[in-house]
Amino acid sequence: MPLYMVKEPSITYQYKQAIKKLSSNDKKTRDLVLESLPSLLSLRPLEYLELLKLWKGLYYCMWMCDRPLAQQKLANDIGDLILKCPSDSSLLFLKAFWETICREWNSIDSLRLDKFYLLIRKNIEGGFRLCMSSNWSEEIVNKYVLLLQDIPLNPTNPKIPNSIRYHILDVYLDELDKVFPVKNKNQNFQIKVFLSPFLNLIEKSHDKYVKKRVSEAIFLDKRIELWNNKDDNYNFDDEVLDIDDKNEEDFIEEWYGFDDQ
């Protein structure tokens, strides 16, 4: 009697099953899938549509997570997935996250907002870790900040809630400082590039409150001068800028005009 080998499920089928189980009512089922995702993601680069479907599952996985400690662990685990993707899929993974969270944001009730704010924070941190893992490659960094500029920090897209923009403003430099503290030195690291989405917000946004928030949360933070490799005697207060006192063109020109080191 001939023996027949059992055919292993295709990778596509495995992904479909994983996505389905991520929204299971059973926590153990969701946890098992999350544990398997790093190895599953490493099998092959995912197409963008597949990543959108995966993020739909991860979104509902976070939605179903109730306890604060479990939410924190889940946000950490999801944020870690960025570096588990094949290198040519990591930025697409982040793009799919931002598309998903911006699309679903208005359907999140107030009791669940905090855990999704945490998820945003962890994905910002993950994006910085991706940049650092490339030794601050100009190509990777430029693609990452352009992704932020085009989706969550898009200055003219009315579908992007300001609450997402504001939260990014609140945590952006803190997460960068966590990944690359101001005391660190690396000639490939250029703070100007990481500020470009916010300069774009000031230049193109029609919302004066958003512009003011950008000034207060980003450009009045003294850490950006430390990242810019100024010496210890540099007096930041001499150059503090406030967009209320300057027109937008002058503001943008001065911040693009960091002294080259």
Side-chain angles (χ1 to χ4, degrees):
M1 181 177 179
L3 296 176
Y4 295 94
M5 294 182 64
V6 177
K7 186 177 180 181
E8 292 187 3
S10 68
I11 296 174
T12 301
Y13 177 80
Q14 292 179 59
Y15 277 123
K16 288 181 178 179
Q17 290 301 303
I19 292 168
K20 183 178 180 180
K21 291 177 180 178
L22 282 171
S23 56
S24 169
N25 289 326
D26 180 52
K27 184 179 183 302
K28 289 184 178 180
T29 300
R30 300 196 305 270
D31 289 346
L32 286 173
V33 175
L34 281 167
E35 290 177 8
S36 70
L37 277 182
S39 58
L40 194 57
L41 286 169
S42 67
L43 294 177
R44 67 165 171 81
L46 291 180
E47 296 180 1
Y48 187 57
L49 182 58
E50 291 177 306
L51 287 168
L52 283 173
K53 291 178 180 178
L54 175 59
W55 263 110
K56 186 75 169 181
L58 290 170
Y59 169 83
Y60 280 114
C61 188
M62 178 60 83
W63 180 280
M64 302 286 286
C65 189
D66 292 327
R67 298 180 183 277
L69 289 178
Q71 292 167 7
Q72 186 170 359
K73 182 180 184 305
L74 178 58
N76 286 333
D77 290 344
I78 293 176
D80 289 343
L81 291 176
I82 296 167
L83 295 180
K84 305 297 184 182
C85 296
S87 57
D88 50 354
S89 294
S90 298
L91 286 168
L92 281 180
F93 183 85
L94 279 169
K95 180 180 179 181
F97 162 71
W98 287 115
E99 290 280 7
T100 300
I101 201 69
C102 290
R103 183 185 65 245
E104 302 291 341
W105 191 257
N106 288 330
S107 65
I108 301 173
D109 59 82
S110 59
L111 295 177
R112 289 184 169 91
L113 274 178
D114 283 349
K115 60 184 175 184
F116 284 102
Y117 278 133
L118 178 60
L119 187 61
I120 287 175
R121 177 187 283 268
K122 291 301 178 182
N123 275 273
I124 291 173
E125 177 189 349
F128 289 141
R129 292 197 182 281
L130 174 63
C131 294
M132 186 173 67
S133 71
S134 72
N135 194 27
W136 308 105
S137 156
E138 182 178 357
E139 179 184 4
I140 297 298
V141 170
N142 284 335
K143 286 182 177 179
Y144 176 58
V145 297
L146 186 60
L147 169 61
L148 294 177
Q149 181 173 303
D150 286 347
I151 304 179
L153 294 175
N154 188 304
T156 57
N157 186 348
K159 294 182 179 180
I160 307 298
N162 271 345
S163 52
I164 289 181
R165 295 188 181 101
Y166 290 155
H167 189 61
I168 294 173
L169 290 171
D170 288 341
V171 305
Y172 190 82
L173 295 182
D174 289 341
E175 295 308 310
L176 181 56
D177 197 8
K178 182 189 301 182
V179 173
F180 189 75
V182 293
K183 64 182 180 181
N184 287 8
K185 300 292 182 182
N186 185 314
Q187 63 180 2
N188 293 332
F189 179 85
Q190 297 292 326
I191 187 61
K192 289 184 289 186
V193 183
F194 288 102
L195 298 180
S196 59
F198 305 105
L199 291 164
N200 187 61
L201 263 180
I202 290 174
E203 180 182 14
K204 297 180 180 178
S205 175
H206 302 299
D207 189 327
K208 66 179 182 180
Y209 298 106
V210 169
K211 294 181 180 185
K212 183 173 179 61
R213 190 74 169 266
V214 171
S215 173
E216 294 171 347
I218 302 296
F219 293 106
L220 295 183
D221 193 308
K222 296 185 179 183
R223 288 174 294 184
I224 62 176
E225 291 297 346
L226 298 176
W227 274 311
N228 196 45
N229 297 322
K230 297 291 186 182
D231 61 46
D232 293 338
N233 295 323
Y234 180 75
N235 186 359
F236 178 88
D237 292 332
D238 290 342
E239 291 194 19
V240 168
L241 298 177
D242 190 324
I243 58 174
D244 288 341
D245 300 326
K246 291 179 175 286
N247 64 48
E248 293 163 19
E249 291 182 359
D250 289 344
F251 184 88
I252 294 165
E253 182 179 355
E254 291 198 37
W255 280 103
Y256 271 126
F258 272 134
D259 294 335
D260 293 331
Q261 301 299 311

